[in-house]
PDB file of all heavy atoms in Angstrom:
ATOM      1  N   THR A 239      -4.965 -12.053   4.546  1.00 98.00           N
ATOM      2  CA  THR A 239      -4.272 -12.506   3.356  1.00 98.00           C
ATOM      3  C   THR A 239      -3.935 -13.982   3.505  1.00 98.00           C
ATOM      4  O   THR A 239      -4.168 -14.730   2.542  1.00 98.00           O
ATOM      5  CB  THR A 239      -2.950 -11.671   3.256  1.00 98.00           C
ATOM      6  OG1 THR A 239      -3.301 -10.274   3.143  1.00 98.00           O
ATOM      7  CG2 THR A 239      -2.102 -12.129   2.078  1.00 98.00           C
ATOM      8  N   LEU A 240      -3.415 -14.371   4.612  1.00 98.00           N
ATOM      9  CA  LEU A 240      -3.028 -15.787   4.754  1.00 98.00           C
ATOM     10  C   LEU A 240      -4.233 -16.714   4.740  1.00 98.00           C
ATOM     11  O   LEU A 240      -4.184 -17.823   4.205  1.00 98.00           O
ATOM     12  CB  LEU A 240      -2.236 -15.950   6.085  1.00 98.00           C
ATOM     13  CG  LEU A 240      -0.936 -15.147   6.205  1.00 98.00           C
ATOM     14  CD1 LEU A 240      -0.294 -15.317   7.566  1.00 98.00           C
ATOM     15  CD2 LEU A 240       0.037 -15.549   5.095  1.00 98.00           C
ATOM     16  N   ARG A 241      -5.333 -16.268   5.324  1.00 98.00           N
ATOM     17  CA  ARG A 241      -6.552 -17.061   5.288  1.00 98.00           C
ATOM     18  C   ARG A 241      -7.104 -17.247   3.874  1.00 98.00           C
ATOM     19  O   ARG A 241      -7.759 -18.242   3.599  1.00 98.00           O
ATOM     20  CB  ARG A 241      -7.609 -16.468   6.202  1.00 98.00           C
ATOM     21  CG  ARG A 241      -7.284 -16.642   7.691  1.00 98.00           C
ATOM     22  CD  ARG A 241      -8.208 -15.885   8.616  1.00 98.00           C
ATOM     23  NE  ARG A 241      -7.838 -16.094  10.022  1.00 98.00           N
ATOM     24  CZ  ARG A 241      -7.912 -15.223  10.970  1.00 98.00           C
ATOM     25  NH1 ARG A 241      -8.335 -13.971  10.683  1.00 98.00           N
ATOM     26  NH2 ARG A 241      -7.584 -15.507  12.209  1.00 98.00           N
ATOM     27  N   ALA A 242      -6.790 -16.271   2.990  1.00 98.00           N
ATOM     28  CA  ALA A 242      -7.228 -16.365   1.617  1.00 98.00           C
ATOM     29  C   ALA A 242      -6.230 -17.194   0.757  1.00 98.00           C
ATOM     30  O   ALA A 242      -6.424 -17.343  -0.430  1.00 98.00           O
ATOM     31  CB  ALA A 242      -7.399 -14.992   0.997  1.00 98.00           C
ATOM     32  N   GLY A 243      -5.170 -17.704   1.416  1.00 98.00           N
ATOM     33  CA  GLY A 243      -4.188 -18.440   0.700  1.00 98.00           C
ATOM     34  C   GLY A 243      -3.259 -17.628  -0.179  1.00 98.00           C
ATOM     35  O   GLY A 243      -2.659 -18.150  -1.131  1.00 98.00           O
ATOM     36  N   ARG A 244      -3.088 -16.353   0.181  1.00 98.00           N
ATOM     37  CA  ARG A 244      -2.221 -15.455  -0.580  1.00 98.00           C
ATOM     38  C   ARG A 244      -0.958 -15.116   0.185  1.00 98.00           C
ATOM     39  O   ARG A 244      -0.777 -15.493   1.359  1.00 98.00           O
ATOM     40  CB  ARG A 244      -2.990 -14.139  -0.887  1.00 98.00           C
ATOM     41  CG  ARG A 244      -4.295 -14.292  -1.593  1.00 98.00           C
ATOM     42  CD  ARG A 244      -4.234 -15.061  -2.899  1.00 98.00           C
ATOM     43  NE  ARG A 244      -5.274 -14.637  -3.834  1.00 98.00           N
ATOM     44  CZ  ARG A 244      -6.528 -15.043  -3.813  1.00 98.00           C
ATOM     45  NH1 ARG A 244      -6.968 -15.859  -2.870  1.00 98.00           N
ATOM     46  NH2 ARG A 244      -7.378 -14.566  -4.726  1.00 98.00           N
ATOM     47  N   LEU A 245      -0.072 -14.368  -0.453  1.00 97.00           N
ATOM     48  CA  LEU A 245       1.199 -13.986   0.160  1.00 97.00           C
ATOM     49  C   LEU A 245       1.175 -12.538   0.577  1.00 97.00           C
ATOM     50  O   LEU A 245       0.392 -11.721   0.121  1.00 97.00           O
ATOM     51  CB  LEU A 245       2.351 -14.163  -0.879  1.00 97.00           C
ATOM     52  CG  LEU A 245       2.525 -15.558  -1.456  1.00 97.00           C
ATOM     53  CD1 LEU A 245       3.551 -15.534  -2.616  1.00 97.00           C
ATOM     54  CD2 LEU A 245       2.996 -16.530  -0.403  1.00 97.00           C
ATOM     55  N   ALA A 246       2.163 -12.178   1.451  1.00 98.00           N
ATOM     56  CA  ALA A 246       2.301 -10.826   1.916  1.00 98.00           C
ATOM     57  C   ALA A 246       3.684 -10.316   1.542  1.00 98.00           C
ATOM     58  O   ALA A 246       4.660 -11.001   1.774  1.00 98.00           O
ATOM     59  CB  ALA A 246       2.059 -10.734   3.424  1.00 98.00           C
ATOM     60  N   ASP A 247       3.725  -9.118   0.970  1.00 98.00           N
ATOM     61  CA  ASP A 247       4.953  -8.474   0.553  1.00 98.00           C
ATOM     62  C   ASP A 247       5.414  -7.519   1.638  1.00 98.00           C
ATOM     63  O   ASP A 247       4.596  -6.944   2.337  1.00 98.00           O
ATOM     64  CB  ASP A 247       4.778  -7.792  -0.789  1.00 98.00           C
ATOM     65  CG  ASP A 247       5.718  -8.261  -1.827  1.00 98.00           C
ATOM     66  OD1 ASP A 247       6.645  -9.015  -1.453  1.00 98.00           O
ATOM     67  OD2 ASP A 247       5.580  -7.887  -2.995  1.00 98.00           O
ATOM     68  N   GLY A 248       6.744  -7.251   1.666  1.00 97.00           N
ATOM     69  CA  GLY A 248       7.299  -6.469   2.721  1.00 97.00           C
ATOM     70  C   GLY A 248       7.894  -5.158   2.287  1.00 97.00           C
ATOM     71  O   GLY A 248       8.144  -4.897   1.115  1.00 97.00           O
ATOM     72  N   HIS A 249       8.182  -4.353   3.307  1.00 95.00           N
ATOM     73  CA  HIS A 249       8.861  -3.048   3.165  1.00 95.00           C
ATOM     74  C   HIS A 249       9.411  -2.717   4.554  1.00 95.00           C
ATOM     75  O   HIS A 249       8.696  -2.299   5.439  1.00 95.00           O
ATOM     76  CB  HIS A 249       7.889  -1.992   2.690  1.00 95.00           C
ATOM     77  CG  HIS A 249       8.409  -0.583   2.791  1.00 95.00           C
ATOM     78  ND1 HIS A 249       8.456   0.259   1.703  1.00 95.00           N
ATOM     79  CD2 HIS A 249       8.873   0.150   3.826  1.00 95.00           C
ATOM     80  CE1 HIS A 249       8.909   1.399   2.069  1.00 95.00           C
ATOM     81  NE2 HIS A 249       9.226   1.411   3.349  1.00 95.00           N
ATOM     82  N   PHE A 250      10.697  -3.037   4.756  1.00 95.00           N
ATOM     83  CA  PHE A 250      11.295  -2.983   6.081  1.00 95.00           C
ATOM     84  C   PHE A 250      12.561  -2.140   5.996  1.00 95.00           C
ATOM     85  O   PHE A 250      13.506  -2.492   5.252  1.00 95.00           O
ATOM     86  CB  PHE A 250      11.632  -4.378   6.595  1.00 95.00           C
ATOM     87  CG  PHE A 250      12.108  -4.458   8.013  1.00 95.00           C
ATOM     88  CD1 PHE A 250      11.255  -4.700   9.058  1.00 95.00           C
ATOM     89  CD2 PHE A 250      13.490  -4.319   8.323  1.00 95.00           C
ATOM     90  CE1 PHE A 250      11.696  -4.787  10.368  1.00 95.00           C
ATOM     91  CE2 PHE A 250      13.936  -4.405   9.612  1.00 95.00           C
ATOM     92  CZ  PHE A 250      13.039  -4.644  10.653  1.00 95.00           C
ATOM     93  N   THR A 251      12.631  -1.005   6.681  1.00 91.00           N
ATOM     94  CA  THR A 251      13.809  -0.130   6.508  1.00 91.00           C
ATOM     95  C   THR A 251      14.606   0.074   7.789  1.00 91.00           C
ATOM     96  O   THR A 251      15.573   0.852   7.823  1.00 91.00           O
ATOM     97  CB  THR A 251      13.400   1.259   5.980  1.00 91.00           C
ATOM     98  OG1 THR A 251      12.563   1.921   6.966  1.00 91.00           O
ATOM     99  CG2 THR A 251      12.650   1.122   4.689  1.00 91.00           C
ATOM    100  N   TRP A 252      14.258  -0.610   8.890  1.00 90.00           N
ATOM    101  CA  TRP A 252      15.123  -0.555  10.085  1.00 90.00           C
ATOM    102  C   TRP A 252      16.454  -1.215   9.702  1.00 90.00           C
ATOM    103  O   TRP A 252      16.516  -2.145   8.915  1.00 90.00           O
ATOM    104  CB  TRP A 252      14.457  -1.254  11.226  1.00 90.00           C
ATOM    105  CG  TRP A 252      13.563  -0.361  12.077  1.00 90.00           C
ATOM    106  CD1 TRP A 252      13.693   0.967  12.256  1.00 90.00           C
ATOM    107  CD2 TRP A 252      12.404  -0.717  12.750  1.00 90.00           C
ATOM    108  NE1 TRP A 252      12.693   1.456  13.064  1.00 90.00           N
ATOM    109  CE2 TRP A 252      11.911   0.397  13.399  1.00 90.00           C
ATOM    110  CE3 TRP A 252      11.780  -1.949  13.002  1.00 90.00           C
ATOM    111  CZ2 TRP A 252      10.783   0.405  14.245  1.00 90.00           C
ATOM    112  CZ3 TRP A 252      10.661  -1.994  13.775  1.00 90.00           C
ATOM    113  CH2 TRP A 252      10.160  -0.823  14.403  1.00 90.00           C
ATOM    114  N   PRO A 253      17.536  -0.809  10.392  1.00 88.00           N
ATOM    115  CA  PRO A 253      18.836  -1.425  10.139  1.00 88.00           C
ATOM    116  C   PRO A 253      18.855  -2.925  10.401  1.00 88.00           C
ATOM    117  O   PRO A 253      18.069  -3.439  11.240  1.00 88.00           O
ATOM    118  CB  PRO A 253      19.755  -0.691  11.062  1.00 88.00           C
ATOM    119  CG  PRO A 253      19.055   0.595  11.398  1.00 88.00           C
ATOM    120  CD  PRO A 253      17.580   0.276  11.407  1.00 88.00           C
ATOM    121  N   THR A 254      19.708  -3.638   9.731  1.00 85.00           N
ATOM    122  CA  THR A 254      19.845  -5.091   9.956  1.00 85.00           C
ATOM    123  C   THR A 254      20.543  -5.347  11.289  1.00 85.00           C
ATOM    124  O   THR A 254      21.150  -4.500  11.841  1.00 85.00           O
ATOM    125  CB  THR A 254      20.638  -5.731   8.843  1.00 85.00           C
ATOM    126  OG1 THR A 254      21.951  -5.121   8.781  1.00 85.00           O
ATOM    127  CG2 THR A 254      19.988  -5.527   7.494  1.00 85.00           C
ATOM    128  N   GLY A 255      20.399  -6.560  11.732  1.00 86.00           N
ATOM    129  CA  GLY A 255      21.204  -7.030  12.847  1.00 86.00           C
ATOM    130  C   GLY A 255      20.506  -7.164  14.207  1.00 86.00           C
ATOM    131  O   GLY A 255      21.186  -7.510  15.173  1.00 86.00           O
ATOM    132  N   ASP A 256      19.209  -6.903  14.292  1.00 85.00           N
ATOM    133  CA  ASP A 256      18.571  -7.134  15.609  1.00 85.00           C
ATOM    134  C   ASP A 256      17.330  -8.001  15.407  1.00 85.00           C
ATOM    135  O   ASP A 256      17.082  -8.515  14.321  1.00 85.00           O
ATOM    136  CB  ASP A 256      18.242  -5.831  16.313  1.00 85.00           C
ATOM    137  CG  ASP A 256      17.192  -4.981  15.610  1.00 85.00           C
ATOM    138  OD1 ASP A 256      16.435  -5.517  14.746  1.00 85.00           O
ATOM    139  OD2 ASP A 256      17.159  -3.765  15.873  1.00 85.00           O
ATOM    140  N   TRP A 257      16.534  -8.168  16.435  1.00 95.00           N
ATOM    141  CA  TRP A 257      15.444  -9.132  16.464  1.00 95.00           C
ATOM    142  C   TRP A 257      14.253  -8.701  15.627  1.00 95.00           C
ATOM    143  O   TRP A 257      13.381  -9.536  15.323  1.00 95.00           O
ATOM    144  CB  TRP A 257      14.967  -9.285  17.914  1.00 95.00           C
ATOM    145  CG  TRP A 257      14.501  -7.996  18.595  1.00 95.00           C
ATOM    146  CD1 TRP A 257      15.269  -7.126  19.236  1.00 95.00           C
ATOM    147  CD2 TRP A 257      13.195  -7.476  18.558  1.00 95.00           C
ATOM    148  NE1 TRP A 257      14.515  -6.038  19.703  1.00 95.00           N
ATOM    149  CE2 TRP A 257      13.224  -6.237  19.255  1.00 95.00           C
ATOM    150  CE3 TRP A 257      11.962  -7.896  18.030  1.00 95.00           C
ATOM    151  CZ2 TRP A 257      12.151  -5.453  19.449  1.00 95.00           C
ATOM    152  CZ3 TRP A 257      10.860  -7.084  18.225  1.00 95.00           C
ATOM    153  CH2 TRP A 257      10.958  -5.882  18.929  1.00 95.00           C
ATOM    154  N   ARG A 258      14.163  -7.467  15.220  1.00 95.00           N
ATOM    155  CA  ARG A 258      12.897  -6.977  14.691  1.00 95.00           C
ATOM    156  C   ARG A 258      12.573  -7.508  13.298  1.00 95.00           C
ATOM    157  O   ARG A 258      11.384  -7.709  12.948  1.00 95.00           O
ATOM    158  CB  ARG A 258      12.888  -5.434  14.670  1.00 95.00           C
ATOM    159  CG  ARG A 258      12.804  -4.837  16.081  1.00 95.00           C
ATOM    160  CD  ARG A 258      12.948  -3.384  16.120  1.00 95.00           C
ATOM    161  NE  ARG A 258      14.226  -2.891  15.624  1.00 95.00           N
ATOM    162  CZ  ARG A 258      14.623  -1.609  15.693  1.00 95.00           C
ATOM    163  NH1 ARG A 258      13.801  -0.695  16.218  1.00 95.00           N
ATOM    164  NH2 ARG A 258      15.780  -1.282  15.219  1.00 95.00           N
ATOM    165  N   LEU A 259      13.598  -7.775  12.434  1.00 97.00           N
ATOM    166  CA  LEU A 259      13.260  -8.339  11.130  1.00 97.00           C
ATOM    167  C   LEU A 259      12.739  -9.753  11.327  1.00 97.00           C
ATOM    168  O   LEU A 259      11.840 -10.177  10.576  1.00 97.00           O
ATOM    169  CB  LEU A 259      14.546  -8.396  10.276  1.00 97.00           C
ATOM    170  CG  LEU A 259      14.333  -8.985   8.887  1.00 97.00           C
ATOM    171  CD1 LEU A 259      13.291  -8.181   8.073  1.00 97.00           C
ATOM    172  CD2 LEU A 259      15.662  -9.032   8.102  1.00 97.00           C
ATOM    173  N   ALA A 260      13.228 -10.525  12.311  1.00 97.00           N
ATOM    174  CA  ALA A 260      12.695 -11.849  12.542  1.00 97.00           C
ATOM    175  C   ALA A 260      11.242 -11.774  12.961  1.00 97.00           C
ATOM    176  O   ALA A 260      10.388 -12.572  12.565  1.00 97.00           O
ATOM    177  CB  ALA A 260      13.520 -12.554  13.613  1.00 97.00           C
ATOM    178  N   ALA A 261      10.891 -10.755  13.773  1.00 97.00           N
ATOM    179  CA  ALA A 261       9.494 -10.565  14.194  1.00 97.00           C
ATOM    180  C   ALA A 261       8.660 -10.246  12.979  1.00 97.00           C
ATOM    181  O   ALA A 261       7.509 -10.726  12.823  1.00 97.00           O
ATOM    182  CB  ALA A 261       9.399  -9.453  15.260  1.00 97.00           C
ATOM    183  N   TYR A 262       9.166  -9.430  12.113  1.00 97.00           N
ATOM    184  CA  TYR A 262       8.457  -9.049  10.882  1.00 97.00           C
ATOM    185  C   TYR A 262       8.218 -10.262  10.001  1.00 97.00           C
ATOM    186  O   TYR A 262       7.096 -10.511   9.519  1.00 97.00           O
ATOM    187  CB  TYR A 262       9.318  -7.977  10.156  1.00 97.00           C
ATOM    188  CG  TYR A 262       8.644  -7.266   8.989  1.00 97.00           C
ATOM    189  CD1 TYR A 262       7.616  -6.417   9.155  1.00 97.00           C
ATOM    190  CD2 TYR A 262       9.166  -7.454   7.711  1.00 97.00           C
ATOM    191  CE1 TYR A 262       7.010  -5.711   8.115  1.00 97.00           C
ATOM    192  CE2 TYR A 262       8.611  -6.736   6.633  1.00 97.00           C
ATOM    193  CZ  TYR A 262       7.555  -5.912   6.824  1.00 97.00           C
ATOM    194  OH  TYR A 262       6.993  -5.217   5.787  1.00 97.00           O
ATOM    195  N   ALA A 263       9.249 -11.067   9.846  1.00 97.00           N
ATOM    196  CA  ALA A 263       9.138 -12.303   9.027  1.00 97.00           C
ATOM    197  C   ALA A 263       8.163 -13.300   9.681  1.00 97.00           C
ATOM    198  O   ALA A 263       7.462 -14.052   8.975  1.00 97.00           O
ATOM    199  CB  ALA A 263      10.483 -12.927   8.841  1.00 97.00           C
ATOM    200  N   ALA A 264       8.096 -13.307  11.001  1.00 98.00           N
ATOM    201  CA  ALA A 264       7.237 -14.224  11.714  1.00 98.00           C
ATOM    202  C   ALA A 264       5.753 -13.983  11.395  1.00 98.00           C
ATOM    203  O   ALA A 264       4.908 -14.870  11.555  1.00 98.00           O
ATOM    204  CB  ALA A 264       7.441 -14.169  13.215  1.00 98.00           C
ATOM    205  N   SER A 265       5.425 -12.761  10.916  1.00 98.00           N
ATOM    206  CA  SER A 265       4.044 -12.445  10.605  1.00 98.00           C
ATOM    207  C   SER A 265       3.582 -13.139   9.339  1.00 98.00           C
ATOM    208  O   SER A 265       2.369 -13.145   9.061  1.00 98.00           O
ATOM    209  CB  SER A 265       3.912 -10.912  10.443  1.00 98.00           C
ATOM    210  OG  SER A 265       4.491 -10.518   9.256  1.00 98.00           O
ATOM    211  N   GLY A 266       4.508 -13.652   8.567  1.00 97.00           N
ATOM    212  CA  GLY A 266       4.127 -14.299   7.312  1.00 97.00           C
ATOM    213  C   GLY A 266       4.587 -13.532   6.108  1.00 97.00           C
ATOM    214  O   GLY A 266       4.295 -13.924   4.954  1.00 97.00           O
ATOM    215  N   ILE A 267       5.249 -12.404   6.260  1.00 98.00           N
ATOM    216  CA  ILE A 267       5.748 -11.589   5.155  1.00 98.00           C
ATOM    217  C   ILE A 267       7.008 -12.297   4.604  1.00 98.00           C
ATOM    218  O   ILE A 267       7.944 -12.576   5.355  1.00 98.00           O
ATOM    219  CB  ILE A 267       6.061 -10.178   5.604  1.00 98.00           C
ATOM    220  CG1 ILE A 267       4.761  -9.450   5.982  1.00 98.00           C
ATOM    221  CG2 ILE A 267       6.791  -9.431   4.506  1.00 98.00           C
ATOM    222  CD1 ILE A 267       4.959  -8.119   6.665  1.00 98.00           C
ATOM    223  N   THR A 268       7.028 -12.579   3.328  1.00 97.00           N
ATOM    224  CA  THR A 268       8.068 -13.406   2.790  1.00 97.00           C
ATOM    225  C   THR A 268       8.951 -12.756   1.672  1.00 97.00           C
ATOM    226  O   THR A 268       9.705 -13.466   1.019  1.00 97.00           O
ATOM    227  CB  THR A 268       7.442 -14.711   2.174  1.00 97.00           C
ATOM    228  OG1 THR A 268       6.435 -14.336   1.241  1.00 97.00           O
ATOM    229  CG2 THR A 268       6.872 -15.580   3.256  1.00 97.00           C
ATOM    230  N   GLY A 269       8.806 -11.457   1.495  1.00 97.00           N
ATOM    231  CA  GLY A 269       9.637 -10.809   0.521  1.00 97.00           C
ATOM    232  C   GLY A 269       9.820  -9.352   0.869  1.00 97.00           C
ATOM    233  O   GLY A 269       8.938  -8.743   1.518  1.00 97.00           O
ATOM    234  N   ASP A 270      10.926  -8.727   0.449  1.00 97.00           N
ATOM    235  CA  ASP A 270      11.181  -7.349   0.794  1.00 97.00           C
ATOM    236  C   ASP A 270      12.039  -6.704  -0.265  1.00 97.00           C
ATOM    237  O   ASP A 270      13.066  -7.258  -0.689  1.00 97.00           O
ATOM    238  CB  ASP A 270      11.869  -7.229   2.164  1.00 97.00           C
ATOM    239  CG  ASP A 270      12.075  -5.761   2.594  1.00 97.00           C
ATOM    240  OD1 ASP A 270      11.385  -4.911   2.080  1.00 97.00           O
ATOM    241  OD2 ASP A 270      12.938  -5.522   3.459  1.00 97.00           O
ATOM    242  N   HIS A 271      11.608  -5.522  -0.750  1.00 96.00           N
ATOM    243  CA  HIS A 271      12.369  -4.810  -1.762  1.00 96.00           C
ATOM    244  C   HIS A 271      13.178  -3.627  -1.256  1.00 96.00           C
ATOM    245  O   HIS A 271      13.892  -2.967  -2.007  1.00 96.00           O
ATOM    246  CB  HIS A 271      11.412  -4.258  -2.864  1.00 96.00           C
ATOM    247  CG  HIS A 271      10.505  -3.200  -2.320  1.00 96.00           C
ATOM    248  ND1 HIS A 271       9.413  -3.456  -1.564  1.00 96.00           N
ATOM    249  CD2 HIS A 271      10.577  -1.838  -2.457  1.00 96.00           C
ATOM    250  CE1 HIS A 271       8.821  -2.330  -1.210  1.00 96.00           C
ATOM    251  NE2 HIS A 271       9.500  -1.322  -1.744  1.00 96.00           N
ATOM    252  N   GLU A 272      13.168  -3.425   0.031  1.00 95.00           N
ATOM    253  CA  GLU A 272      13.914  -2.302   0.621  1.00 95.00           C
ATOM    254  C   GLU A 272      15.312  -2.713   1.051  1.00 95.00           C
ATOM    255  O   GLU A 272      15.816  -2.271   2.090  1.00 95.00           O
ATOM    256  CB  GLU A 272      13.128  -1.706   1.802  1.00 95.00           C
ATOM    257  CG  GLU A 272      11.921  -0.961   1.437  1.00 95.00           C
ATOM    258  CD  GLU A 272      12.186   0.325   0.632  1.00 95.00           C
ATOM    259  OE1 GLU A 272      13.302   0.817   0.715  1.00 95.00           O
ATOM    260  OE2 GLU A 272      11.281   0.784  -0.059  1.00 95.00           O
ATOM    261  N   CYS A 273      15.943  -3.545   0.229  1.00 96.00           N
ATOM    262  CA  CYS A 273      17.314  -3.946   0.495  1.00 96.00           C
ATOM    263  C   CYS A 273      18.242  -2.937  -0.184  1.00 96.00           C
ATOM    264  O   CYS A 273      18.159  -2.699  -1.402  1.00 96.00           O
ATOM    265  CB  CYS A 273      17.581  -5.342  -0.096  1.00 96.00           C
ATOM    266  SG  CYS A 273      16.507  -6.625   0.521  1.00 96.00           S
ATOM    267  N   VAL A 274      19.147  -2.324   0.559  1.00 95.00           N
ATOM    268  CA  VAL A 274      20.055  -1.360   0.002  1.00 95.00           C
ATOM    269  C   VAL A 274      21.526  -1.753   0.210  1.00 95.00           C
ATOM    270  O   VAL A 274      22.431  -1.107  -0.314  1.00 95.00           O
ATOM    271  CB  VAL A 274      19.785   0.034   0.581  1.00 95.00           C
ATOM    272  CG1 VAL A 274      18.395   0.524   0.170  1.00 95.00           C
ATOM    273  CG2 VAL A 274      19.959   0.086   2.116  1.00 95.00           C
TER     274      VAL A 274
END
Side-chain angles (χ1 to χ4, degrees):
T239 300
L240 299 177
R241 286 172 180 143
R244 306 304 210 279
L245 301 172
D247 236 351
H249 169 123
F250 186 94
T251 65
W252 272 329
T254 59
D256 64 21
W257 58 271
R258 290 175 298 187
L259 181 60
Y262 191 66
S265 72
I267 294 170
T268 54
D270 183 20
H271 67 282
E272 289 294 338
C273 302
V274 296

